[in-house]
Amino acid sequence: TTLFPNPNTGVFSLQINGDFDTQITIEVFNAIGQAVWRTEEGVLSQGGIVNVDISSVDPGLYFACVSGNGKQEVIRFTVH
C-alpha cells in the first residue's frame, strides 16, 4: 500500500496493492492513537485507490491502517 502525497494537507490517496477478497477497513489515527477517520471498502481485485479527506484535523503525525484478508499494514504520514 502506498500513500501519496506525503506530507500532505490532509487530502491524500491510498493505492491499495494486491487482491483483497474480503472487505477492507481503512482507519486513520493521530499520534496519540485516537481514530480520526474510518471507512470500509468492498472487495478490491488487483488493488484500487481510496481517496481520503481529513483536512479538518490539526497538523501533525498520523497513521493510516489498512486491514483485510487477515493482514494489517500501517503507514506513517504527516499533515501540514
Side-chain angles (χ1 to χ4, degrees), residues 1 14 16-27 38-45 50 64-74:
T1 302
L14 286 163
I16 310 298
N17 301 321
D19 291 338
F20 285 87
D21 57 6
T22 62
Q23 182 169 298
I24 65 168
T25 301
I26 302 169
E27 295 176 285
R38 176 186 168 97
T39 189
E40 293 181 353
E41 298 290 324
V43 173
L44 296 176
S45 60
V50 178
C65 179
V66 179
S67 56
N69 281 7
K71 299 180 285 186
Q72 184 175 34
E73 186 172 358
V74 178

Side-chain angles (χ1 to χ4, degrees), residues 5-18:
N6 185 17
N8 58 62
T9 60
V11 177
F12 60 90
S13 297
L14 286 163
Q15 171 70 53
I16 310 298
N17 301 321

